[in-house]
Amino acid sequence: MGTMMGELVEIGDGAASGDPPFEGLFRAHADRLVRLAHLLGADDPEDVVQEAFCKFYVVRHDQVGNLIAYLNRMVVNEVRSRQRRSVVAARRTLHPVAAAPANEQAERNESVVGLMRALAELAPRQREALVLRYWLDLPLAEIATAMQVRVGTVKSLISRGMARLAHELEDHR
């Protein structure tokens, strides 16, 4: 049994909603994990998440303490593996969905595109640390676990990543 955002999930038993528990876990977290994989630079974030869930399915769940942290780590590792194998990574941009006036929407799109471009220029480990910290809002210890490094390394990656990100954003103004 593992704890998941305030509710208990048992992988081997039926869920209260009638969905199989694995399916419920997938429905609850797949979209978030796809966005995580995208922000980490995956050129195929949906495939990354599906592969992570396939690998997760065969894991002995009674030996996993925090299922969500484990899934986060699996996605981070899968993105890393695919980036190592990939020679050319196709970058996608996020398009915010908002009902703002056209001029505000254009400025927002430029900001998002600029930020995504600057994130893409970062070293992969710096990008991972920043996304885990500021997008998922994970504490340093959980980031260290997900990235399989020490907390001091996470602090260094975040500090250097923020400095480089600020420099990249200044260069594009």
Side-chain angles (χ1 to χ4, degrees):
M1 185 174 349
T3 303
M4 180 177 89
M5 298 194 151
E7 60 183 277
L8 294 177
V9 174
E10 295 186 32
I11 298 300
D13 299 335
S17 67
D19 288 340
F22 183 80
E23 184 178 338
L25 189 64
F26 180 83
R27 287 178 189 264
H29 295 282
D31 288 340
R32 180 186 61 79
L33 291 170
V34 167
R35 289 188 302 270
L36 172 62
H38 176 76
L39 288 170
L40 291 174
D43 58 343
D44 52 355
E46 295 89 359
D47 290 341
V48 166
V49 172
Q50 290 218 359
E51 184 66 26
F53 270 101
C54 287
K55 291 177 180 177
F56 179 78
Y57 187 77
V58 298
V59 170
R60 289 199 42 157
H61 300 98
D62 58 339
Q63 295 178 354
V64 176
N66 183 338
L67 297 176
I68 306 311
Y70 191 75
L71 277 168
N72 288 338
R73 187 168 78 203
M74 290 182 85
V75 169
V76 168
N77 288 341
E78 185 66 25
V79 170
R80 282 183 191 167
S81 295
R82 287 169 183 248
Q83 286 174 340
R84 279 193 295 263
R85 291 187 304 258
S86 175
V87 177
V88 177
R91 306 284 184 209
R92 296 182 186 174
T93 58
L94 292 178
H95 300 287
V97 178
N103 61 342
E104 288 180 25
Q105 186 67 31
E107 288 176 23
R108 186 175 304 137
N109 285 343
E110 283 182 33
S111 297
V112 171
V113 169
L115 178 61
M116 294 304 291
R117 185 181 309 122
L119 272 172
E121 295 296 320
L122 294 177
R125 308 234 338 139
Q126 288 175 347
R127 182 175 53 245
E128 288 173 11
L130 290 176
V131 168
L132 291 170
R133 178 68 182 116
Y134 296 107
W135 186 74
L136 280 184
D137 199 26
L138 293 180
L140 297 176
E142 286 186 35
I143 297 169
T145 300
M147 294 181 70
Q148 297 176 321
V149 297
R150 295 181 181 162
V151 172
T153 303
V154 171
K155 290 179 184 178
S156 175
L157 288 168
I158 289 173
S159 175
R160 290 179 183 168
M162 288 297 288
R164 176 99 190 271
L165 194 60
H167 179 74
E168 290 292 328
L169 289 172
E170 273 300 311
D171 284 352
H172 291 296
R173 285 188 178 193

